[in-house]
Amino acid sequence: MVRVTAPSVFFALLLPSLAAWGNVIPRAPEDFDYVIVGAGAAGSVLANRLTEGNRFSVLLLEAGPDNEGVLEGTLPYIYPRMFGGPYNWNYSTAPTPGLGNRNGPYFRGHVLGGSTSINGMTYTRGPSADWDRLASHLGDSSWSWARIQSYFRKNEAFEAPPGPPNNRFTPSVHGTSGAIGVSLNLNNEWIVPPTLQAASEIGLPYNNDVNSGNPIGISWQQFAIKNGARSSAATGYLRQNVAGRTNLNVRVNARALRLVPNSGPGPLTFRTVEYRDETNGNIIQVSARRDVIVSAGVIDTPTLLMRSGLGDPAELRAANITPRFTIPALGNNFIEHPGVPISWSVNTTLTDDELDKDPALFAQELERWNTNKTGRLAQTSLTHIMYNRLPRNHSIFRTVSDPSGGANAPHYEQIVANKWVTLGARPAGNFIGMTQFVMAPTSTGSVKLNSADILGPPIINANSFNTEWDKAVIRHAIRSSIAYMRSPAWAPFNIQPTFDPTVADTDARLDAFVAASGFGGAHGVGTARIGRANSRPGSDVVGPDFRVKGIRGVRIVDASVLPFSPAAHAMVPVYVLAEKAADTIKGAP
Ligand SMILES: Cc1cc2nc3c(=O)[nH]c(=O)nc-3n(C[C@H](O)[C@H](O)[C@H](O)COP(=O)(O)OP(=O)(O)OC[C@H]3O[C@@H](n4cnc5c(N)ncnc54)[C@H](O)[C@@H]3O)c2cc1C
Ligand SMILES: *[C@@H]1O[C@H](CO)[C@@H](O)[C@H](O)[C@H]1NC(C)=O
Ligand SMILES: *[C@@H]1O[C@H](CO)[C@@H](O)[C@H](O)[C@H]1NC(C)=O
Ligand SMILES: *[C@@H]1O[C@H](CO)[C@@H](O)[C@H](O)[C@H]1NC(C)=O
Ligand SMILES: *[C@@H]1O[C@H](CO)[C@@H](O)[C@H](O)[C@H]1NC(C)=O
């Protein structure tokens, strides 16, 4: 097992202040082959793969604390508790017109494992069409669905439930010996028959496996849960399979503040990372003999580069940062999956609202989990996942061409929950929820530094529901959900909407409902997008080798490089991107 340490506090000398934020204490001559910034989905994969075979030494810096022993990050059911406390960056989105100018929270993991230590654990590879689109974007067929399969398998250790598959999954599409445990939710038995029956009543086909490359239809949902506990980038890549690796050094509570340019003549090169030990405020510099790899995620990767003098020169000057290289694309092309959660009341007490309301029931389930890692806390409140496309004759196609990746790429997602999901306090009673997301959004936003406080929360603008397409998709999804809940399968539970269903009668009223009840998403990509080797530096941030175009010494591997949003929850796409990037980097001279 790799030792996870807080930064050491032994320093030889104190140098004069080099940075605005404090005294810089170099740990000279401390250097590594690679310094990786951020131990989330991507950074953890890279730290693991680059230290295989003892060829390279790696320092992995993580701003947040260790995940070890954090119960709310282990028990799947209580994962929303990770949104409070020190495990979240506490960001919010800027007031958004498509959301009634509200500014909601923008959750990001601030803990070993990054957002995979706080997320909803939904495990989705996305449609084959989206991987094929990435291959054609890069002009490189090694990114195609067919050729990326080995990386899915490296990531996945599917745990089949006992007994035959019973059409709940297709064994042949799964990996069984990869890093992340994956399983189905077999709790909430009562909700399974109506969930499946209602889908069939609205004409949504049954899909044997959401991760086969064609996610369209209703499928059993798959989760990054192993033996009743969260399987995260930290548990899967930093604690397993790394025993005895002295070439892997992991430091938590170590926040990178900027990359420091090499002095002297020659091309602009960054191989030094300046980080702050959050336990004592000391500022420390470390160097990479080969590369600095930035894996700080879709928000913090662009802002780290901006603090290093990269980006839009006018914006940098406004923040009192010396511009060193112009990258107009940095922080732009921010793409999210906006969503709308809605709830219906039901007359069964089998919903998880009981678990949230009744401390005795919760205590009983906690005891059960402690005894044998089973029961309702070993899973979430979701069992199935639905993906669909707008009908071909939808009027939006008269003015907008289909922006999705292709025929098996969904336009929207719907997920039934065994409890209240609407934003805001839960009323008395029992509920089932439905959350719908736009999966092929065309709204784009941006991430910018707050010029008044460049180490403070950045300005995050997801621009949700900003296009006619996104509005048309969410309207269709909500109307489809209303039809789904009105189908005879739910009638035995005396199902009733907790909102006025006549909002769906006109587009204008439905848009107002979306603006009042939607949120910006948690699957952001695109703020440091990847492009072909010959694309103009600045229009794309990195090339196919993940190197930042136009400078030396820095690669980016994380959600920010994905140029479009896969029609999937983003974790598996990022894991697979990082698995492939690790091979690219190891193969490099
Ligand atoms: C609340 C929530 C729910 C989600 N639900 C799902 C889901 O159910 N299924 C799914 O597939 N996806 C889900 N996602 C999305 C998924 O978790 C992310 O897309 C994925 O983790 C992105 O990986 P990443 O490596 O780009 O960034 P992250 O996993 O966010 O990791 C970035 C890491 O870098 C660290 N860092 C940032 N700045 C610095 C710095 N300056 N110095 C040092 N370290 C730094 C951060 O603390 C963090 O640990 C969810 C995300 C959230 C936030
Ligand atoms: C987020 O806010 C909580 C208080 O709600 C605080 O304990 C935590 O330290 C904050 N996280 C960060 C990264 O600042
Ligand atoms: C797990 O433990 C609980 C007691 O806390 C018990 O009721 C349950 O049957 C056990 N389940 C299994 C699968 O062992
Ligand atoms: C689209 O076609 C379906 C039949 O396939 C029909 O019921 C529906 O009314 C059509 N919608 C529009 C907008 O033409
Ligand atoms: C729930 O409502 C249905 C339909 O109204 C009714 O038939 C059933 O008896 C009710 N169940 C309970 C537990 O009240």
Side-chain angles (χ1 to χ4, degrees):
M1 176 156 303
V2 164
R3 206 165 42 100
V4 175
T5 56
S8 125
V9 288
F10 307 112
F11 308 112
L13 61 160
L14 253 143
L15 283 193
S17 172
L18 294 176
W21 33 72
N23 286 332
V24 179
I25 305 168
R27 299 159 53 95
E30 196 181 37
D31 55 8
F32 302 84
D33 290 322
Y34 293 100
V35 176
I36 301 172
V37 177
S44 303
V45 170
L46 290 169
N48 181 307
R49 299 301 180 200
L50 293 178
T51 54
E52 277 172 349
N54 206 15
R55 265 170 74 200
F56 303 120
S57 65
V58 168
L59 173 65
L60 177 61
L61 298 175
E62 168 52 47
D66 198 352
N67 70 307
E68 187 81 333
V70 179
L71 196 66
E72 55 269 47
T74 306
L75 266 72
Y77 186 78
I78 57 171
Y79 77 91
R81 296 187 192 178
M82 292 298 278
F83 305 164
Y87 311 114
N88 182 356
W89 282 88
N90 300 332
Y91 292 153
S92 30
T93 49
T96 306
L99 293 173
N101 288 317
R102 284 177 298 130
N103 45 353
Y106 192 80
F107 301 125
R108 288 288 97 188
H110 176 261
V111 55
L112 206 67
S115 299
T116 76
S117 291
I118 76 165
N119 73 16
M121 296 159 283
T122 295
Y123 192 92
T124 46
R125 297 169 170 180
S128 63
D130 278 341
W131 293 95
D132 293 344
R133 172 162 65 162
L134 184 57
S136 70
H137 172 79
L138 292 172
D140 175 356
S141 66
S142 70
W143 285 98
S144 66
W145 172 261
R147 290 184 57 193
I148 207 141
Q149 290 301 315
S150 61
Y151 294 111
F152 288 128
R153 282 169 173 71
K154 282 181 104 164
N155 180 250
E156 183 182 28
F158 188 78
E159 290 187 333
N166 287 336
N167 299 323
R168 292 168 299 180
F169 60 96
T170 305
S172 60
V173 307
H174 291 283
T176 51
S177 57
I180 301 294
V182 179
S183 56
L184 311 180
N185 178 1
L186 303 176
N187 292 327
N188 307 334
E189 280 169 36
W190 80 271
I191 209 172
V192 174
T195 298
L196 292 173
Q197 185 59 33
S200 133
E201 284 164 2
I202 63 159
L204 186 67
Y206 185 74
N207 184 335
N208 216 57
D209 200 305
V210 69
N211 282 325
S212 66
N214 174 15
I216 305 283
I218 182 166
S219 312
W220 278 81
Q221 195 168 175
Q222 300 172 15
F223 295 92
I225 296 175
K226 179 179 182 172
N227 298 329
R230 174 188 295 272
S231 184
S232 69
T235 66
Y237 284 95
L238 299 178
R239 305 217 185 262
Q240 285 183 151
N241 309 321
V242 289
R245 287 195 199 169
T246 53
N247 56 336
L248 173 55
N249 190 325
V250 182
R251 281 182 203 157
V252 294
N253 303 308
R255 180 180 178 192
L257 304 181
R258 62 166 185 155
L259 312 179
V260 183
N262 288 5
S263 53
L268 182 60
T269 304
F270 296 83
R271 287 211 167 84
T272 300
V273 180
E274 187 166 276
Y275 75 87
R276 183 171 67 196
D277 175 346
E278 301 289 37
T279 64
N280 58 20
N282 287 332
I283 311 265
I284 299 147
Q285 293 190 346
V286 288
S287 291
R289 284 185 286 264
R290 298 176 76 98
D291 293 305
V292 173
I293 304 176
V294 181
S295 300
V298 71
I299 306 299
D300 293 288
T301 285
T303 56
L304 177 68
L305 268 63
M306 289 170 192
R307 288 195 301 269
S308 313
L310 309 172
D312 176 323
E315 284 173 15
L316 296 174
R317 277 191 211 98
N320 260 322
I321 296 164
T322 309
R324 297 185 190 278
F325 186 70
T326 302
I327 311 180
L330 189 68
N332 288 317
N333 192 46
F334 179 45
I335 313 172
E336 259 298 355
H337 287 150
V340 179
I342 46 183
S343 306
W344 280 259
S345 67
V346 287
N347 70 355
T348 169
T349 53
L350 291 171
T351 72
D352 285 338
D353 302 293
E354 297 295 317
L355 200 50
D356 296 344
K357 289 185 298 197
D358 179 354
L361 178 61
F362 186 91
Q364 184 189 316
E365 289 294 332
L366 183 59
E367 191 198 314
R368 177 175 176 149
W369 189 88
N370 280 324
T371 312
N372 50 31
K373 307 284 181 282
T374 63
R376 292 166 79 168
L377 302 186
Q379 297 287 351
T380 72
S381 298
L382 318 176
T383 53
H384 291 79
I385 190 162
M386 296 186 257
Y387 284 113
N388 208 350
R389 289 169 60 81
L390 297 189
R392 279 175 214 269
N393 63 354
H394 193 288
S395 59
I396 189 74
F397 292 121
R398 281 187 232 134
T399 50
V400 178
S401 61
D402 180 4
S404 76
N408 64 23
H411 295 141
Y412 60 95
E413 176 185 286
Q414 296 157 296
I415 302 186
V416 175
N418 186 28
K419 68 195 276 186
W420 172 264
V421 295
T422 310
L423 302 180
R426 174 191 3 235
N430 291 88
F431 305 91
I432 59 173
M434 178 77 105
T435 304
Q436 37 265 306
F437 291 95
V438 180
M439 278 287 126
T442 56
S443 304
T444 59
S446 63
V447 174
K448 295 182 190 300
L449 285 179
N450 174 357
S451 57
D453 177 11
I454 63 171
L455 288 177
I459 296 163
I460 301 173
N461 190 350
N463 234 350
S464 312
F465 302 118
N466 187 46
T467 61
E468 281 311 311
W469 167 263
D470 290 7
K471 288 182 203 173
V473 172
I474 200 71
R475 285 182 208 128
H476 184 87
I478 292 173
R479 287 177 175 138
S480 154
S481 295
I482 292 173
Y484 175 90
M485 293 302 178
R486 279 185 176 150
S487 79
W490 294 107
F493 305 99
N494 189 26
I495 193 159
Q496 303 292 339
T498 65
F499 56 97
D500 173 4
T502 68
V503 293
D505 291 354
T506 71
D507 288 356
R509 287 183 68 199
L510 195 47
D511 290 350
F513 177 76
V514 168
S517 53
F519 62 93
H523 302 155
V525 301
T527 53
R529 73 175 167 213
I530 192 169
R532 295 189 184 201
N534 60 1
S535 79
R536 198 162 39 83
S539 66
D540 293 312
V541 180
V542 300
D545 53 4
F546 299 92
R547 290 187 188 281
V548 177
K549 287 170 170 262
I551 65 167
R552 302 213 177 162
V554 187
R555 304 201 206 217
I556 301 175
V557 182
D558 61 19
S560 63
V561 311
L562 286 170
F564 9 74
S565 176
H569 295 229
M571 171 176 66
V572 183
V574 174
Y575 275 141
V576 165
L577 173 95
E579 286 280 11
K580 191 167 188 309
D583 274 359
T584 304
I585 294 169
K586 285 203 267 190

